Amino acid sequence: MSPPRLFVAVLPPAHALDELRRTVAPLRALPGGDALRWTDAPGWHFTLAFLGGVDEELMTELHERLARAAHRTEPFPLRIGGSGRFDGRVLWAGADGGLDTLGLLAARVDAAARRTGLPVEPGRSHTPHLTLARGRAPTDLRPYVTALGAFRGTPWQVTGISLVRSHPPVGGVPGARPAYEVVAGWPLGR
């Protein structure tokens, strides 16, 4: 059996996800919206680091290092806001608020993973986002980005990070999506 595929994320609270869900719902009806594979709130998270497959023998050290990264970072304000796209294939909602602290937290999580011996991609830039939809082929996502551009959700306080396991979608099931399971979490601050 292959090791679990894990990532570390900030999980927005339910009220923030509900605000975004209500804002995104009408976008599905825009021309071309039916050609996109839309994600739902259970898949919305701000990924700090993708860890890939992690062997069981590394888990204790990984947990210790992630706990230290979290404890070295004080809670900070964040909200879902703005939008963007990657390569005409991915539509996303952005973050607003304590972006410097979010970037610092992502760097600390990356360092924790590297020190554990995990092959984290060095020097990658961190663009905080929640993936809303994907296209199989390049698509003009500008109308969606424009429609979401002014959205600013209610701020909340980021108080912890989560280690999340990604379960791949069930093969052969139309519309199947990955499922996510929180396996551990650590509070921010001391």
Side-chain angles (χ1 to χ4, degrees), residues 5 7 37-40 42-45 134 165-170 175-181:
R5 294 172 51 85
F7 61 90
R37 291 176 293 148
W38 293 89
T39 62
D40 292 315
W44 292 343
H45 50 264
R134 290 183 175 86
R165 180 177 183 171
S166 176
H167 297 275
V170 177
R177 297 184 178 113
Y180 301 109
E181 170 192 8

Side-chain angles (χ1 to χ4, degrees), residues 8-9 16 26 43 48 56 72 75 107 112 132 146 148 158 161 167:
V8 181
L48 299 172
E56 187 62 37
R72 290 178 52 213
L132 302 176
T146 299
L148 279 171
V158 176
I161 60 173
H167 297 275

Side-chain angles (χ1 to χ4, degrees), residues 48-52 106 109-115 117-124:
L48 299 172
F50 179 73
L51 307 178
V109 166
D110 275 358
R114 277 194 318 278
R115 288 183 182 125
L118 298 173
V120 176
E121 185 179 324
R124 69 171 176 80

Side-chain angles (χ1 to χ4, degrees), residues 19-189:
E19 288 176 340
L20 183 60
R21 183 185 302 114
R22 287 190 304 272
T23 302
V24 169
L27 300 182
R28 295 174 184 237
L30 289 176
D34 56 347
L36 297 172
R37 291 176 293 148
W38 293 89
T39 62
D40 292 315
W44 292 343
H45 50 264
F46 291 108
T47 301
L48 299 172
F50 179 73
L51 307 178
V54 178
D55 292 325
E56 187 62 37
E57 63 266 11
L58 297 176
M59 292 300 282
T60 299
E61 182 180 356
L62 177 64
H63 282 223
E64 291 168 0
R65 291 187 182 280
L66 289 174
R68 274 183 274 188
H71 295 313
R72 290 178 52 213
T73 308
E74 291 301 318
F76 60 96
L78 199 67
R79 68 179 173 183
I80 301 170
S83 62
R85 59 196 168 134
F86 295 131
D87 300 327
R89 291 182 188 263
V90 176
L91 172 67
W92 50 264
D96 193 19
L99 297 181
D100 289 343
T101 306
L102 184 63
L104 176 63
L105 181 57
R108 287 176 172 163
V109 166
D110 275 358
R114 277 194 318 278
R115 288 183 182 125
T116 302
L118 298 173
V120 176
E121 185 179 324
R124 69 171 176 80
S125 65
H126 181 254
T127 303
H129 67 281
L130 307 172
T131 299
L132 302 176
R134 290 183 175 86
R136 295 187 194 283
T139 303
D140 182 8
L141 297 174
R142 288 177 295 183
Y144 305 96
V145 172
T146 299
L148 279 171
F151 174 73
R152 296 292 180 272
T154 303
W156 80 91
Q157 198 75 356
V158 176
T159 59
I161 60 173
S162 298
L163 181 63
V164 182
R165 180 177 183 171
S166 176
H167 297 275
V170 177
V173 176
R177 297 184 178 113
Y180 301 109
E181 170 192 8
V182 175
V183 295
W186 300 273
L188 297 187

